[in-house]
Amino acid sequence: MLTRDQASEIFSRIRKYSTADEVECLFYGGRSALTRFANNTIHQNVAEENYGASVRTVFGGRTARASTNKFDDVSLANVVRASESLARVQEPDPDLLAVPDAGEGARATQLSATPASAAPAQSKPEAPARHFEATASLTPAQRADAVGKMVTIAQKHNLTAAGIFSSSDTVEGIFNSRGLSDWHRQTSAEVSITMLAGDSSGWQKANSPDTATLDPAALAQVAAAKATTSASPREIPPGKYTVILEPAAVLDTVGFAFFDFGGLAIFDQRSFLNNRIGTQLFGENISIWDDVSHPLQSGSPFDGEGMKRQRVQLVEKGVVQRLVYARATAAKMKNSENASKVGAIEATGHGFSIPNEMGEAPMNIVFEPAAEPKTVDQMISSTGRGILVTRLWYIREVDPYEKILTGMTRDGTFLIENGKVICGLRNFRFNQSLIAMLSHVEDMSTPVRSSGEESFDMVVPAMKVSGFNFTEVTKF
């Protein structure tokens, strides 16, 4: 593995080759492996190890980046030359700030007074350890053994299984010419399985830094149960129904909201939160944090500029309270006409690496637990007539400001009557406002780390939602 000391030595050579006013280098990479299976048989096992360095140079407000995965002197000299050549021909950026020093990177930089109605971002202890030797040392044989257990379950139920079991051991680091440096090492393991029957299917997926918390056989059992229970699906008319969305379905819908919580999205007038900050936008039972230090979260504790990520309450009892900011966006917002409309303005450690067009976004979403959480089974038992949704896919935005989404159910859609799941259903297409959805949540489960296909992992609950709008039945 590339170590922090090795990266520091590489950066010292990069600085030697540079004539720029400022130099920054991002390091990334590691080891990854993947075991893929289909038709109840492993058909692919691959592994790779690769590391890269992305060098950004600055000349009087002009900046550009170039990357390499070779660390010999010639390659480092070439990547510095490429970055500097690109930087010199850029238009000066009046909003470009000097790279942060070590002191600034370690704290949230307060750029404006905090209004009484908006709490400041909260510093928290360093994120918990996210490197686990058991995950880093996973072997092809261990992954194959887990796949074998999942396939055995499929065969027991006369189903066909397909999916993956992947693992990785990665690093992420940043060094700059003003003395800032930081380093993060993390492992990850992921299992995804789809069980196929003649006219039905079931699915489950989970991801964790610690492979010991994953149970591939349990995931396979749930996927198999969904596939068998949803066999011979019925068709019912589209319309507005009470739905119970399992965590993966919640994640893949709400994920469309969070890039709008960045300050630059507000500044550019491309956020559904424009003119809505401080208003009652969702139900009072919805409170959301961005919290890299949460024990179920993952990722590095610093952003693309090396700023420490702060714990930020984005939504409190349905009211949007805060945005997240990169350094330059915070400075820009402070002097804009929006300054009095967006709550507290400060760099919160959520910026992407420069240059970029997105600015920043919260990437460690955690839903606050409900006062009285309910299990999915309890939600089902309290539902007279409704629909249970395992997951959603092919989701697209129809109306960005009202956050109306369209997509389809998949891999386990069930009819609920009189508090019981009675049969599988043909899948639906939906057209649903995310704002309305989060305004009509009747019950929530305890939030869990969840994985989907349309968004990044989050800590979210299952939700019982009234009036969810299905517009048509699909052909499968």
Side-chain angles (χ1 to χ4, degrees), residues 387-450:
I387 296 172
L388 173 65
V389 176
T390 298
R391 72 162 173 143
L392 304 168
W393 74 301
Y394 219 92
I395 304 173
R396 299 293 183 267
E397 269 188 352
V398 176
D399 183 328
Y401 192 65
E402 295 304 324
K403 272 289 181 278
I404 297 174
L405 308 176
T406 189
M408 290 173 278
T409 64
R410 181 174 181 174
D411 296 324
T413 306
F414 303 91
L415 177 64
I416 301 168
E417 287 188 343
N418 301 318
K420 294 182 180 179
V421 172
I422 63 168
C423 66
L425 291 175
R426 291 268 296 276
N427 287 302
F428 291 98
R429 173 171 288 281
F430 66 91
N431 273 61
Q432 174 65 44
S433 163
L434 179 58
I435 298 172
M437 176 183 130
L438 293 179
S439 298
H440 293 89
V441 177
E442 296 181 359
D443 288 307
M444 291 184 286
S445 69
T446 300
V448 296
R449 179 175 175 83
S450 184

Side-chain angles (χ1 to χ4, degrees), residues 24 26 56 97-100 174 176 180 303-307 326-328 351-354:
E24 172 195 273
L26 303 178
R56 181 168 72 93
L97 301 178
V99 298
I174 185 168
N176 72 31
L180 180 146
D303 73 1
E305 294 183 85
M307 298 289 290
R327 298 162 64 240
F352 299 121
S353 58
I354 297 172

